[in-house]
Amino acid sequence: MLIASGDALIDFVPTRNADGREAVMPAVGGSCLNVAIGMARLGAPTGFVGGISTDLFGRLIADHAAASHVELGLSTRSDHQTTLAFVRIVAGESHYAFYDAETATRNWTYRRGSVPFDTVEVLHVGSTTLVNDQGAAETKALIADARMSSTISFDPNCRPNLVRDKPAYLARMAEFAQSADLIKMSDVDFAYLFGDEPYQQRASTLLGQGTSLVVVVTRGNNGAIAWHAGAGQIEVTAPKVAVADTIGAGDSFQAALLFALHKQGRLARQQLKVINADELRRALSFAANCAGLTCTRPGADPPWSHEITWSP
């Protein structure tokens, strides 16, 4: 099984009403839940670990995940309210306002031994769950149990408006990166975390710490770049599409990358270390195409297997 752990929320996505005035439309989101949904829709056995409310919005989240074939047996339902995120598109980038106090996601706790990691090929973590102390601590405990048998995937998916102490946050992200086998970040995330440092230089540092694969992605129309200790640097182009918005595009990329590595038999830690350049390029190209398709429709709506076919 492939699992993702972290945020599950409702995005209020910008739209227009019949009079042409600005309006918002609720859509199920949360970076880690999006990754789980993306993997499941492509056909991988997938589960989600995290907190989901029993309120109105929580039921929307659970129904949406179940309809996408995500296994929710490892998640925790509670009567804490659902996290809400309001989205505005500014110069092509999504900007968020979060309402996340005392929510089901914020109050989630990991039950040691509750996840059968001997059957889990990859654990994906990241995003807003790691901003607060409790979420970060619970995720560290989850990784500690997972790491013996499962590949660790990490996407910081930074949300600067939630960060109150940037030096502490940067140190925390560095700690999670050290525990990861696969790291993906957008160019915007990279700039927030590392400033003007060259991509190659930071990739070399991360690979030197033991990470197998570093991906810098979501560079708009410039595609994606990956660095691998054995396969070297790989670059793929982005498909040309009519963009509705970019919400969930990075999550779709991540889901499709993990799915493609899974289909190639290269997702397990030791197999990821020996992936060759051609295999990695095919996985990255598939991920870029899935992200492009996601951009053609509003909200986080990753593709299904009948919409885009994986070809080994």
Side-chain angles (χ1 to χ4, degrees):
M1 177 177 279
L2 285 56
I3 65 173
S5 175
D7 49 341
L9 52 82
I10 296 292
D11 285 322
F12 285 86
V13 181
T15 185
R16 298 275 178 179
N17 64 17
D19 298 327
R21 291 182 294 179
E22 287 190 11
V24 292
M25 175 182 66
V28 174
S31 178
C32 294
L33 181 64
N34 290 341
V35 171
I37 287 171
M39 294 188 296
R41 286 185 176 185
L42 290 171
T46 303
F48 176 75
V49 178
I52 300 176
S53 178
T54 55
D55 67 11
L56 168 66
F57 292 126
R59 292 195 296 274
L60 285 175
I61 290 169
D63 289 347
H64 180 74
S68 295
H69 310 304
V70 175
E71 170 58 51
L72 295 179
L74 300 174
S75 63
T76 303
R77 304 299 298 272
S78 75
D79 59 3
H80 296 289
Q81 66 185 11
T82 299
T83 300
L84 306 180
F86 289 81
V87 188
R88 291 205 77 191
I89 311 298
V90 180
E93 288 288 335
S94 300
H95 293 252
Y96 294 82
F98 288 92
Y99 295 82
D100 193 31
E102 297 302 316
T103 61
T105 293
R106 286 287 292 270
N107 283 280
W108 169 75
T109 57
Y110 169 53
R111 305 185 305 277
R112 297 301 295 264
S114 62
V115 180
F117 281 113
D118 57 336
T119 66
V120 173
E121 196 170 2
V122 67
L123 166 66
H124 173 75
V125 301
S127 197
T128 59
T129 305
L130 307 185
V131 175
N132 66 82
D133 292 343
Q134 178 176 328
E138 298 297 336
T139 304
K140 287 177 186 176
L142 183 70
I143 291 172
D145 279 1
R147 193 157 170 74
M148 291 296 293
S149 56
S150 305
T151 297
I152 307 301
S153 165
F154 170 54
D155 177 4
N157 195 37
C158 304
R159 294 291 180 254
N161 59 321
L162 294 179
V163 175
R164 298 293 176 260
D165 183 343
K166 186 173 181 180
Y169 176 77
L170 296 182
R172 178 176 288 170
M173 293 303 99
E175 186 176 352
F176 277 103
Q178 287 179 342
S179 68
D181 301 294
L182 186 156
I183 301 170
K184 190 276 289 182
M185 67 190 83
S186 70
D187 55 350
V188 175
D189 292 336
F190 189 99
Y192 184 72
L193 295 172
F194 306 115
D196 295 329
E197 182 178 356
Y199 291 161
Q200 175 68 60
Q201 181 174 309
R202 176 51 52 173
S204 296
T205 298
L206 293 169
L207 291 171
Q209 294 173 350
T211 301
S212 296
L213 176 61
V214 180
V215 181
V216 178
V217 69
T218 318
R219 300 183 305 148
N221 293 326
N222 295 320
I225 310 175
W227 288 266
H228 183 271
Q233 179 178 321
I234 306 292
E235 186 167 359
V236 297
T237 59
K240 297 184 184 302
V241 297
V243 176
D245 65 43
T246 60
I247 297 169
D251 303 328
S252 181
F253 185 103
Q254 183 79 5
L257 176 60
L258 295 174
F259 171 81
L261 294 172
H262 162 73
K263 294 296 287 186
Q264 293 179 109
R266 294 300 191 189
L267 188 51
R269 181 175 296 119
Q270 294 305 315
Q271 291 300 319
L272 184 60
K273 288 180 178 179
V274 297
I275 192 171
N276 64 48
D278 287 341
E279 290 171 325
L280 181 53
R281 183 174 289 105
R282 287 198 297 273
L284 291 165
S285 294
F286 179 72
N289 287 331
C290 285
L293 184 53
T294 302
C295 288
T296 65
R297 44 211 194 191
D301 188 7
W304 294 80
S305 58
H306 65 265
E307 296 177 292
I308 188 165
T309 302
W310 163 252
S311 299

